[in-house]
Amino acid sequence: MTAGAGLLGVFGALGVMHIRHIGAATLLIIAFSRTTALAAASEGADISVHVIDANASTPIVGAALVVERQDGDQPDAIAVTDNNGRSVVSDLAKGTYRLTISAAGYDSASREILVGETTTALDIGRIGLHQSAQEIVVTGNRTQDVTLAPGANSFVVANSALAQSGSVLSAMKGLPGITVERDGHVLLRGSDRVTILIDGKPSALTGIGNQSGLDSIPAANIERIDVINNPSARYAAQGSAGIINIVMRSTRKVGWSGHVGLKGGFGAFGRRKPDLPTQLGSFDWTPKISPYFSVNRNGEKADWHLQGELLKQRKLPNNEFSTRFYDDGRIIVSQVPENRKQTQYVLKGGTDQRLDDNDTLSINAAFDVEDHLDVAQVPFIEKTTNTLTRFWSWRENEQTGHVSASVNYRHDFPEAGHTLSLRAEYIRGWENETYRLNEASPIRTGTDLTHIIAHENTLPVSIDYVRPTSNGRIEIGAKVQYRWIPVRYLTEPGFLSIIYPGLGDHSNWKEKIYSGYVNWVRETRALTIEAGLRAEQTNVGYTLDPANIYYPRNDAYDYFRLFPNVRLTTKLGRGTDLSLFYNRRVDRPGEPELRVFPKYDDPELLKVGNPYLRPQFTTAYELSVQQDWGSLNASLALYHRSITDAFQRIYAIDQSTTTYDIVNKIYSNTGKASNSGAELIAHWKVRKDLKINASLNAFRVHRDPATITLLFPYVRSLSLPETSDFTWDGKLGIEAPLGKSTKMQLNGTYYAAREIAQGSQASRGAVDFSLSRTFANDRIKASLSATDIFNTFGTKTFVDGFGFDALYENYYETQAVLLSVEVKI
C-alpha cells in the first residue's frame, strides 16, 4: 500500500459516520485500505467477519465495516477487509451494536452484534453482499478498577496503594470477597478449597488450601485478580470454593520495558500476650528486605520476559498459646513461638515466539527456593500448682522449593478467537525438613531427630480448542495429568523417645487423572446460556512401608465422575443481570492431608495426616444479581453448597500412653456438610480518584452427625454431634487522593465469631493503611503500608475435644510496616 492510499483510507474511516451519504467514489477509496483501524488498547471482544460476493462466493477486498451502538450517533470502530475478504474488530466493549458493511458496486448489509458479559470473541461468519464484503476492528474502554460480572469478579490492583509495597497475598487481604488466613490459607465464602491460577494456568507457586507461595510474588508485578466462584467445565474440577486467577502485568510496546524495586520494613511490633518464661521467647521487630525486578523485551517476532525477587527476613509465622483442660482436673499451659530466619529466591521468565502470523510457541519456567531456620523453646506449666512439667525446645532446618517448565503451542485460525492450544508442563516441588528435638522433664532428658524428604511431581498435558460462533462459542479439550509424591522419613530416636515407633521410613503416593470437557456459550439480547460437562477418570494408589504398624495395607481406589456446569443469565433492565448457576466440583486430599508421619513442633499436639482419606465432592447452586448504576456497581449472590465425604481435622487424646499427654490432630472424612449464605459486593466510584468498596458474606455451615474410626495410633471410634452455625465476614475499603500524585488507602476487615469442627473461634478484625506517591512523570513510585495497625487479627480457638477442652490463642505476626520504591526502566 502506498502512503497516499493509506492516508486516504484513514480519512475515509474518519468520515464513516456519514457513510450512508457517501458516494461510490469514496467507497472505492476506503476499499483500498487493507488493514483495520482505530484499534483500542483496552480489553474487550474480537469480532470476525468474512465478506463475499453473494453470487460468485468470491472474497470482497476493501469492504468498509462500521460498528456503532444501537443508540449511538458516531461509530465505535471501523475496518476494512483484507485480500481474503476477512477482517477482525478488536477490543469491543460489552453492549449491542449495529454492523454495517459497504463496498463499491454492492448494496450495503447490516447485522446486529451482541457482546455479552463473557464474550471474548465472535465469528459472524460469511456475509454475502450483492456487490460488497469486509471485516472489523472496534473500540471499547474498561476503566473500572472493579468489574462485577455474572460468575466472575475482577479487581485491578496495579494502581492499588496497599498492593504496591506487599505481596500478592497481602494485596488479596484488601479485596472484597477474599479471606486470607494464617499460613497462606485463602478462602472464598468461608472455604479454603480454592484453586489459584497465574495467567489462567496452574503454577508451581500455588496449591489447594495453602497458598503460602503467593507471599513470594510482589504485588507490584500483577495487573489484576479475577475471582470465579462458579468455574465452567473448561477448568479442572479441583477446588470446590472456586478459582482465583492472578493476571500478571505485561506491556506490549516494542523494545525494552520493566521496573526495579526495593521494599523493606519491620513486623511484629507488639505482643498481644506476654511470653511464657524462657530465654528465647518470641521474635519482635522482625526486619525484612526484598529487592525485585521485572524486565520485558518485545519485538516483532518474539517477546521475552523475566521477573525475580530476593527476600530476607525474620518472621513469627506461628505463636500459639495453649491452655488444655483435662477431665482429671489438670490445666496445662504452653507456648510454641516459631522464630524464623528466612531467605527466599524467586525467578520466573519465558518467551513467546511468533513462528508466523498464526502460530505462537511459548516457553516459560519458574524457580522458587526458600531456606529457613526455625527455633523455639516451649515450656509446659501445670497452672493450678504453677509447676514446670516439661521443657521442650527444637531447631528446624527446612528448604522448600518449586521449579516448573512449560511449553505451549497456539494456532490462531483466521477468525477472531478461533484457537487451538497444546500445553505440556512439568512441576516439581520439594520439602527437606530436619527437626532436632530436645526435652527436659521428670521422665527423661533426651534428644530426638526427624528428617522428612518429600518431592511432589506433576506432569500435565492438555489440548484446548475454542470456536467462536456468531452469538457465543464452543470450547472442547482434554487433559492427562500424572502426579507422584515419594516421601522419605528418617528418625534418630533418643532415650525414652517421644517419636512413634513402627511408622516405616518411606511412602509413595500416585495419582492419574484423565479428563475431557465440552463447554457451550450462547448469548442473545434476552438470555445467556453457558452449559458444560467435564468427565474425569481418577486412579489413586498409596504405597506404605510394610514396616508401618498403624495402617495394615496399601491403599488404592479409582472413580469416574461427571462434573456439569450450567449458567443462565437474563437482563431484567438496563444494567441489571440475573443469573442462575449449577456446578459440581471435587477436593482431592493433598500430600499434607495424607502424610503418615507426625509433626513434633508441639509434642502434646501432634498433627498427622490420614493415608486412607477420600476426596470430598461438592454440588453448588447460586442465584445472583448484578446491578450497574454507572459509578456504583453491586452484586448479590445467594448460594448453597452440598458436600459429601467432607474431610477435616479431628482432635482426640492418645490414651495408649500414660507417659505423656498427647492430643492427636488427624484428618478424617466426616460425612455430609453444607454451606449456605449470601454475599454482597459493592464498588462505588464517588469521583475520579475517590473509591469505596465493601463486601459482606453471611453464611451458615451445617455438619451432619457422624461416627468415624481413627487408626492412628490405635483403632478408636468417635461420634461427632450435629452442628450448625451462622456467621459472617465483612470488609470495607476506601481509596482517596491526597494531592495530585498521592493516594491513600484504608481497609477494614472483620470476621464474626463462628463454630468450627469440635469448637468455636472468636471474632477478630484488622485495619490496614497505605500511602503511595509518584514522581518524575510517574516513573518513580513510592509506597508505605501498615497492616493490622491495632494488632487485633490473631486467632482464638476453643476446642471441645474427646477427654479434654482447650483454648488455642495464636498471636502470630500480623503487623508489618513496609516501605517500597519502584522505578520504571
Side-chain angles (χ1 to χ4, degrees):
M1 182 192 302
T2 66
L7 287 173
L8 288 173
V10 171
F11 283 119
L14 293 175
V16 76
M17 65 185 69
H18 306 295
I19 195 166
R20 293 190 183 91
H21 308 292
I22 299 177
T26 306
L27 289 174
L28 283 171
I29 294 175
I30 297 176
F32 282 103
S33 296
R34 298 180 53 199
T35 59
T36 59
L38 298 182
S42 60
E43 296 184 5
D46 297 337
I47 312 298
S48 297
V49 181
H50 187 193
V51 185
I52 62 172
D53 186 297
N55 296 320
S57 297
T58 56
I60 298 178
V61 180
L65 281 73
V66 179
V67 180
E68 51 192 340
R69 291 186 180 271
Q70 296 282 40
D71 55 354
D73 57 358
Q74 60 181 358
D76 288 84
I78 59 174
V80 293
T81 55
D82 59 17
N83 290 335
N84 297 314
R86 297 182 181 274
S87 183
V88 176
V89 179
S90 301
D91 299 321
L92 196 62
K94 180 185 71 172
T96 303
Y97 298 85
R98 182 175 58 253
L99 165 66
T100 302
I101 306 172
S102 305
Y106 292 87
D107 294 331
S108 298
S110 296
R111 293 288 188 276
E112 182 180 287
I113 300 173
L114 173 64
V115 177
E117 292 280 1
T118 63
T119 302
T120 57
L122 294 175
D123 181 14
I124 305 302
R126 290 187 176 188
I127 296 180
L129 298 185
H130 297 280
Q131 276 54 219
S132 175
Q134 174 174 335
E135 211 153 297
I136 309 177
V137 171
V138 188
T139 64
N141 292 321
R142 176 187 177 177
T143 59
Q144 307 103 304
D145 290 330
V146 176
T147 301
L148 306 178
N153 299 323
S154 181
F155 307 97
V156 176
V157 299
N159 299 318
S160 167
L162 183 62
Q164 294 308 308
S165 56
S167 66
V168 173
L169 208 57
S170 63
M172 286 184 178
K173 293 178 182 178
L175 298 182
I178 300 178
T179 302
V180 179
E181 293 280 16
R182 188 175 66 88
D183 291 339
H185 282 75
V186 177
L187 288 75
L188 293 175
R189 296 177 178 174
S191 172
D192 68 350
R193 314 314 297 178
V194 180
T195 298
I196 305 288
L197 305 178
I198 296 181
D199 288 331
K201 300 292 189 296
S203 169
L205 302 178
T206 61
I208 294 288
N210 187 327
Q211 293 90 14
S212 58
L214 297 178
D215 229 3
S216 65
I217 304 176
N221 288 341
I222 67 173
E223 177 66 27
R224 72 175 193 272
I225 295 175
D226 300 329
V227 177
I228 307 171
N229 292 113
N230 294 278
S232 72
R234 182 172 186 177
Y235 298 97
Q238 174 84 334
S240 62
I243 291 173
I244 295 178
N245 182 37
I246 300 168
V247 180
M248 305 301 291
R249 277 168 59 173
S250 63
T251 55
R252 189 58 196 92
K253 63 180 182 181
V254 176
W256 291 94
S257 63
H259 59 267
V260 295
L262 177 67
K263 59 183 178 182
F266 293 88
F269 299 108
R271 290 186 171 92
R272 287 277 302 275
K273 187 173 183 177
D275 290 335
L276 293 182
T278 63
Q279 290 182 333
L280 180 60
S282 61
F283 278 175
D284 60 358
W285 286 86
T286 52
K288 310 166 192 303
I289 188 167
S290 176
Y292 62 91
F293 72 90
S294 177
V295 179
N296 303 281
R297 173 65 171 89
N298 297 329
E300 293 184 1
K301 292 295 185 180
D303 298 338
W304 301 82
H305 58 91
L306 183 66
Q307 297 174 348
E309 179 189 19
L310 167 64
L311 170 65
K312 291 187 72 69
Q313 68 172 346
R314 289 193 175 194
K315 192 176 182 181
L316 188 65
N318 183 47
N319 185 26
E320 187 167 71
F321 294 82
S322 300
T323 305
R324 287 185 280 272
F325 305 87
Y326 292 95
D327 289 353
D328 61 7
R330 289 175 302 121
I331 302 175
I332 303 295
V333 298
S334 63
Q335 178 193 3
V336 181
E338 198 168 319
N339 298 303
R340 175 167 296 179
K341 297 178 181 179
Q342 179 183 22
T343 303
Q344 186 168 8
Y345 307 89
V346 180
L347 192 65
K348 61 189 297 285
T351 180
D352 298 323
Q353 299 287 327
R354 286 176 286 281
L355 307 179
D356 53 40
D357 290 342
N358 300 317
D359 298 285
T360 303
L361 182 66
S362 299
I363 302 173
N364 293 279
F367 175 78
D368 176 6
V369 62
E370 179 260 353
D371 290 285
H372 69 250
L373 170 66
D374 289 348
V375 293
Q377 294 176 343
V378 186
F380 294 85
I381 301 171
E382 210 291 316
K383 192 173 181 180
T384 59
T385 61
N386 199 30
T387 303
L388 180 66
T389 62
R390 188 179 194 180
F391 187 81
W392 183 258
S393 64
W394 49 264
R395 181 184 181 93
E396 181 209 16
N397 294 89
E398 181 175 358
Q399 182 186 89
T400 60
H402 298 87
V403 63
S404 68
S406 65
V407 178
N408 188 85
Y409 165 77
R410 171 173 165 153
H411 175 74
D412 293 302
F413 294 91
E415 301 81 16
H418 187 188
T419 62
L420 175 67
S421 299
L422 300 172
R423 179 179 175 86
E425 185 173 18
Y426 173 68
I427 304 170
R428 181 178 177 86
W430 67 89
E431 177 184 2
N432 191 331
E433 170 191 281
T434 301
Y435 269 98
R436 292 171 173 83
L437 311 168
N438 304 277
E439 180 181 16
S441 71
I443 297 172
R444 71 153 188 165
T445 298
T447 61
D448 302 287
L449 182 144
T450 66
H451 186 191
I452 289 181
I453 305 172
H455 294 92
E456 180 173 0
N457 306 273
T458 307
L459 183 61
V461 178
S462 61
I463 180 171
D464 299 283
Y465 175 75
V466 181
R467 180 65 167 98
T469 64
S470 60
N471 52 14
R473 64 186 181 276
I474 297 174
E475 302 167 333
I476 302 173
K479 182 178 181 180
V480 177
Q481 178 173 289
Y482 179 40
R483 189 158 62 119
W484 66 104
I485 308 175
V487 178
R488 295 283 295 173
Y489 182 64
L490 308 174
T491 64
E492 295 180 9
F495 173 69
L496 292 177
S497 174
I498 54 90
I499 296 175
Y500 283 105
L503 286 165
D505 63 6
H506 67 271
S507 67
N508 194 9
W509 182 85
K510 297 180 180 180
E511 175 190 67
K512 296 178 182 178
I513 302 176
Y514 308 90
S515 61
Y517 72 88
V518 59
N519 194 55
W520 172 67
V521 180
R522 176 181 171 84
E523 295 185 274
T524 66
R525 183 179 296 182
L527 182 67
T528 296
I529 303 173
E530 180 172 12
L533 183 65
R534 188 177 189 93
E536 291 191 354
Q537 170 67 42
T538 303
N539 302 327
V540 175
Y542 201 165
T543 303
L544 301 172
D545 190 333
N548 190 300
I549 63 176
Y550 307 100
Y551 297 98
R553 58 176 174 79
N554 295 329
D555 192 31
Y557 62 93
D558 63 86
Y559 58 88
F560 175 80
R561 290 289 190 278
L562 297 177
F563 299 96
N565 72 275
V566 177
R567 175 174 69 91
L568 304 175
T569 299
T570 185
K571 293 189 177 299
L572 300 181
R574 186 176 181 87
T576 305
D577 293 325
L578 178 69
S579 301
L580 287 170
F581 296 89
Y582 167 81
N583 70 27
R584 294 195 67 209
R585 309 282 290 171
V586 63
D587 295 308
R588 303 182 182 93
E591 198 276 331
E593 291 93 347
L594 298 167
R595 183 182 293 181
V596 298
F597 310 114
K599 190 177 179 69
Y600 289 94
D601 55 343
D602 183 344
E604 296 192 5
L605 179 62
L606 293 185
K607 296 174 282 291
V608 65
N610 179 355
Y612 296 165
L613 203 61
R614 291 294 186 264
Q616 66 179 26
F617 294 90
T618 300
T619 302
Y621 310 86
E622 181 176 323
L623 170 67
S624 69
V625 60
Q626 291 78 36
Q627 178 65 54
D628 185 354
W629 289 286
S631 61
L632 175 61
N633 300 320
S635 172
L636 175 64
L638 306 177
Y639 61 89
H640 174 76
R641 297 191 192 118
S642 178
I643 306 168
T644 57
D645 289 332
F647 56 77
Q648 63 190 42
R649 283 197 186 271
I650 302 298
Y651 294 82
I653 282 185
D654 177 6
Q655 296 179 338
S656 66
T657 175
T658 58
T659 306
Y660 299 104
D661 295 314
I662 299 177
V663 174
N664 298 133
K665 193 176 178 182
I666 306 176
Y667 275 102
S668 177
N669 293 102
T670 57
K672 294 183 178 180
S674 64
N675 181 351
S676 305
E679 182 182 55
L680 174 65
I681 298 176
H683 176 73
W684 183 21
K685 192 171 184 179
V686 182
R687 57 176 189 264
K688 181 179 180 181
D689 295 320
L690 177 59
K691 305 162 191 173
I692 300 174
N693 67 72
S695 66
L696 176 67
N697 180 37
F699 58 97
R700 180 177 296 279
V701 177
H702 181 271
R703 301 178 183 88
D704 284 358
T707 299
I708 62 172
T709 299
L710 302 179
L711 301 182
F712 181 86
Y714 60 95
V715 179
R716 49 191 157 157
S717 294
L718 305 174
S719 294
L720 302 177
E722 180 180 9
T723 61
S724 186
D725 175 58
F726 175 82
T727 188
W728 60 278
D729 302 331
K731 283 189 176 183
L732 178 65
I734 300 173
E735 185 173 318
L738 298 177
K740 184 177 180 180
S741 302
T742 305
K743 290 191 297 185
M744 177 276 293
Q745 189 169 345
L746 186 68
N747 287 312
T749 301
Y750 180 78
Y751 302 155
R754 63 201 58 200
E755 298 293 322
I756 61 171
Q758 291 183 274
S760 62
Q761 191 173 88
S763 61
R764 58 198 174 111
V767 175
D768 302 332
F769 174 78
S770 64
L771 285 172
S772 68
R773 181 176 177 84
T774 58
F775 305 89
N777 295 322
D778 293 339
R779 288 193 64 250
I780 301 175
K781 181 183 294 185
S783 302
L784 177 68
S785 69
T787 59
D788 193 13
I789 297 172
F790 303 109
N791 196 20
T792 53
F793 202 60
T795 63
K796 184 181 292 187
T797 304
F798 305 89
V799 172
D800 182 9
F802 293 95
F804 77 103
D805 294 329
L807 169 62
Y808 296 105
E809 301 168 280
N810 202 327
Y811 300 128
Y812 61 100
E813 181 180 311
T814 58
Q815 283 186 310
V817 173
L818 297 174
L819 176 64
S820 170
V821 178
E822 180 181 301
V823 180
K824 290 182 180 180
I825 57 175

